Amino acid sequence: MLHRREAEPAQPRPARQGPPFWLAVPALAFFGLFALLPLGGVAVLSFMEWDGLGTPRWAGAEIWLDTLADPATRAALWRTVVFVVVSFLFQAPVALLLGVFTAGRQRYRAAFAVLYFLPLLFSSAAIGIVFRSLLDPNFGLSRAFSPGTLSTNWLGDPDLALYAVIFVVGWAFVPFHALLYQAGVRQIPASLYEAATLDGAGRWQQFRYVTLPQLRYTIVTSSTLMLVGSLTYFDLVFVLTGGGPGDATRILPLDMYLTGFRSYQMGPASVIAVLLVAIGLALSLFLSRVSGSGRMQSQQAGAA
């Protein structure tokens, strides 16, 4: 006699992981209203001729072609590339070393951290005014110390001005990235260093084989903020040099402002703005893809 097989009970669906989508709706609405909508307006304006007062006139892709072919825009783009690369090469190692140093529990390191993190409390305009006075060859540091290297007109020499601005930007923003590294180092389990010490590892070996691998995702985050953030520096450069001497420090963010609000060419200025957004997004996505930050997992698993 054939027995009918009893129907197997339906398997319950796995519980959905993470918070519900509706919790993100207010943030998405805020982002769309104050970020995506203005960005769309700028994208449309990049195809128009407008002086900021009259009626915008549709010009099509001609503005894009003229702006991208403009030697001044190309020169500003090249200066921006130099600015981003040199700024990163200067800020990244200094911030990493300072963050690792200030992560120690000694009192003198804590005092040093408090003093060095003070630039985070100052506005970019205040920092620019102070350094413009300090680097002035007539009444700056050259008057306080013996003449020599300090008497160089750092902000007035076309060959040195961009690198002087990069130094000031580094002084202002290295503490922020050092704070990220300090927090990352303090999250590393002490057992890893104890095991490395038992294996005979010195300070350099511990830094290379324990600290750096554990700071991988912190390095990715800091590098992304550092590189993409270098595309947005305007206020500090504007206060320090205004783009001068000549056009020696006229990077793309400043070029966008001067084109739009000094030359009253809102179309080309919008082209530069869209170009900056595109470069920033491409750079961020490239770093995320190369570093594998989209597959981040805890590096402390099994460390207890």
Side-chain angles (χ1 to χ4, degrees), residues 169-251:
V169 167
W171 184 89
F173 291 99
V174 159
F176 169 76
H177 297 280
L179 188 63
L180 295 179
Y181 288 119
Q182 181 194 58
V185 171
R186 289 185 174 178
Q187 293 297 318
I188 300 176
S191 58
L192 297 179
Y193 292 103
E194 294 172 358
T197 303
L198 292 176
D199 290 338
R203 288 292 182 88
W204 166 249
Q205 292 174 319
Q206 292 182 20
F207 175 77
R208 180 179 179 183
Y209 296 108
V210 178
T211 304
L212 284 182
Q214 292 293 316
L215 289 178
R216 175 188 173 187
Y217 297 136
T218 306
I219 293 174
V220 172
T221 302
S222 175
S223 299
T224 302
L225 294 175
M226 205 176 290
L227 291 171
V228 177
S230 297
L231 299 172
T232 64
Y233 294 143
F234 160 75
D235 46 2
L236 194 53
V237 182
F238 181 75
V239 173
L240 276 172
T241 64
D247 290 331
T249 58
R250 185 165 174 161
I251 58 178

Side-chain angles (χ1 to χ4, degrees), residues 106-117:
Q106 296 85 350
R107 290 186 177 180
Y108 73 92
R109 299 195 186 198
F112 178 82
V114 171
L115 292 176
Y116 196 77
F117 292 152

Side-chain angles (χ1 to χ4, degrees), residues 5-42:
R5 181 178 298 179
E6 296 181 359
E8 297 181 357
Q11 297 293 331
R13 293 183 179 181
R16 188 174 181 178
Q17 301 294 328
F21 173 78
W22 62 267
L23 290 178
V25 170
L28 292 176
F30 188 87
F31 179 75
L33 181 62
F34 293 99
L36 297 182
L37 186 61
L39 180 59
V42 171

Side-chain angles (χ1 to χ4, degrees), residues 72-73 76-77 234 250-260 269 272:
T73 303
L77 177 60
F234 160 75
R250 185 165 174 161
I251 58 178
L252 277 181
L254 185 59
D255 185 48
M256 175 186 64
Y257 169 81
L258 296 177
T259 301
I272 298 173

